[in-house]
Amino acid sequence: QVPLVASGGGLVQAGASLRLSCRAAGRSLSNYGVAWFRQAPGKEREFVASISWGGVTVDYADSGKGRFTVSRDNGRNMVYLQMNTLKPEDTADYHCVTATGRRATSPYWGQGTQVTVSS
């Protein structure tokens, strides 16, 4: 079980792009699938995207298809979420977690990063 730390969020206008980064604290991430989830105020946590340990298999929630791209660089021990054409409804706290597909495999959600998209 690897605690992950997300970063790269910020306040942007609608239509802008952000790239979120996810790193493991103190351990290699290369043997783990990773998923991104987000939670907006007053709403349940929802799946955003996932990538398998080797980067071959990726999956996206319908909300991000065509706009978001998940990738990884195992040499740098990093996973990324490129978010383009951001919308106000993308505003949320984003977290990354080790996962198998859309299922988190760790109870430790670690530090998230806030994304705020203004209209």
Side-chain angles (χ1 to χ4, degrees), residues 9-29:
L11 171 62
V12 297
Q13 291 187 329
S17 298
L18 280 173
R19 188 177 80 157
L20 306 185
S21 299
C22 176
R23 64 179 176 85
R27 288 191 62 179
S28 173
L29 202 54

Side-chain angles (χ1 to χ4, degrees), residues 65-85:
K65 285 181 180 177
R67 300 188 299 127
F68 295 176
T69 302
V70 60
S71 63
R72 67 190 303 155
D73 184 341
N74 285 341
R76 295 179 183 270
N77 207 35
M78 298 288 289
V79 173
Y80 304 101
L81 182 66
Q82 177 69 42
M83 304 189 296
N84 299 327
T85 320

Side-chain angles (χ1 to χ4, degrees), residues 20-102:
L20 306 185
S21 299
C22 176
R23 64 179 176 85
R27 288 191 62 179
S28 173
L29 202 54
S30 61
N31 294 327
Y32 297 89
V34 172
W36 289 92
F37 289 79
R38 67 186 183 186
Q39 187 166 20
K43 296 186 177 181
E44 293 187 353
R45 181 185 291 148
E46 64 175 359
F47 168 79
V48 177
S50 67
I51 187 166
S52 60
W53 68 270
V56 173
T57 303
V58 295
D59 184 24
Y60 299 95
D62 288 344
S63 58
K65 285 181 180 177
R67 300 188 299 127
F68 295 176
T69 302
V70 60
S71 63
R72 67 190 303 155
D73 184 341
N74 285 341
R76 295 179 183 270
N77 207 35
M78 298 288 289
V79 173
Y80 304 101
L81 182 66
Q82 177 69 42
M83 304 189 296
N84 299 327
T85 320
L86 283 163
K87 304 175 182 180
E89 50 264 45
D90 295 318
T91 295
D93 189 31
Y94 285 70
H95 289 257
C96 53
V97 65
T98 53
T100 298
R102 299 188 176 199

